[in-house]
Amino acid sequence: MDQIAAMRTFIKVVECQSFTKAAHQLGISVAMTSKLMQQLEESLSTRLLSRTTRQVNPTEAGQFYYQRSLALLAELEETHSQLTHNNQQPQGTLKLSVPMDFGYLHLSPALPLFRERFPELKLEIEYSDRRVALVEEGFDLALRIGNLPDSSLVAKPLATMKLVVCASPEYLARRGTPKTPEDLKQHDCLIYTLTQPDWVFKRNRSPAPR
């Protein structure tokens, strides 16, 4: 016997005071309705319904079971609703790490809209250029600029970044303008090692010497 189905059927029988009407509203046969009620009473070893030729009424035990069934099914539906809501609406705390400049320029302006869309989600954001250990430090997500080294972590590209080699006119006037990537070896280069430890140039789509 399906306990939940039997309880729902019993509630409908009590409210309709009829097996036929209850069966019609539930979309099942009268025979199935009668069978479920018989199995329910047998499982409880208690008579729940008093039957006459005109209507069906709950016994004293049936009235108690009716009230308890209403409460239990209401709680079950509330639990189901809460879980469904939780699956649709993110909740809890999301801890993420983002690069300092990128975070301030691109992430921060989007936070008000994000909070409006997901009001039940709490954000903990670390603006830092250091490479955090996601698992060990309890981070759920990290935004990073560059390639992901060999790792068991999963990366998803969000955007591309264009790198431009540039110099001030004063520097070029003093040191000369490089013509090839190899010429850079004779120049003073500022490298941001946290995101781009090496400058990689391509010649005919193949990496050129650094």
Side-chain angles (χ1 to χ4, degrees):
M1 179 186 64
D2 186 333
Q3 186 73 30
I4 301 298
M7 291 174 66
R8 294 186 188 278
T9 304
F10 173 74
I11 289 173
K12 189 60 67 177
V13 168
V14 171
E15 293 175 346
C16 294
Q17 296 183 320
S18 166
F19 279 45
T20 303
K21 291 180 181 179
H24 177 73
Q25 292 190 17
L26 292 171
I28 61 177
S29 66
V30 177
M32 176 59 69
T33 303
S34 178
K35 180 180 179 181
L36 284 172
M37 294 304 93
Q38 180 181 351
Q39 291 177 339
L40 182 60
E41 289 182 328
E42 289 177 354
S43 69
L44 297 171
S45 300
T46 304
R47 187 180 179 187
L48 300 175
L49 297 169
S50 176
R51 304 164 180 82
T52 66
T53 55
R54 295 193 172 207
Q55 62 183 22
V56 179
N57 293 306
T59 62
E60 183 177 349
Q63 187 62 39
F64 172 78
Y65 190 80
Y66 171 76
Q67 297 295 336
R68 293 294 297 162
S69 295
L70 282 177
L72 288 172
L73 288 179
E75 184 175 348
L76 179 63
E77 291 175 358
E78 175 64 20
T79 301
H80 184 274
S81 176
Q82 286 289 337
L83 289 175
T84 302
H85 174 73
N86 289 346
N87 288 334
Q88 295 176 347
Q89 183 67 266
Q91 293 180 324
T93 300
L94 181 65
K95 185 177 180 181
L96 62 152
S97 171
V98 299
M100 185 75 72
D101 291 340
F102 179 88
Y104 285 135
L105 289 174
H106 300 286
L107 182 65
S108 294
L111 291 180
L113 181 60
F114 183 89
R115 289 289 299 151
E116 182 179 342
R117 184 174 179 182
F118 304 107
E120 299 180 33
L121 187 63
K122 178 182 178 182
L123 292 177
E124 291 185 5
I125 306 175
E126 177 182 297
Y127 290 85
S128 172
D129 292 330
R130 72 183 184 92
R131 291 191 176 273
V132 301
L134 269 70
V135 177
E136 291 80 356
E137 298 184 49
F139 284 93
D140 301 297
L141 176 70
L143 300 182
R144 284 292 171 259
I145 299 173
N147 297 320
L148 180 70
D150 291 339
S151 170
S152 60
L153 301 176
V154 177
K156 181 178 181 180
L158 299 179
T160 58
M161 183 180 65
K162 184 178 181 180
L163 297 178
V164 178
V165 178
C166 56
S168 68
E170 294 79 9
Y171 176 86
L172 296 178
R174 185 174 70 255
R175 299 289 300 273
T177 301
K179 303 299 183 182
T180 66
E182 290 84 349
D183 293 343
L184 293 172
K185 296 179 180 179
Q186 309 303 320
H187 285 266
D188 298 328
C189 300
L190 298 177
I191 299 175
Y192 189 43
T193 58
L194 286 176
T195 59
Q196 195 71 25
D198 297 300
W199 288 355
V200 180
F201 299 87
K202 288 186 177 182
R203 180 181 294 159
N204 298 326
R205 297 188 177 183
S206 298
R210 297 176 183 177

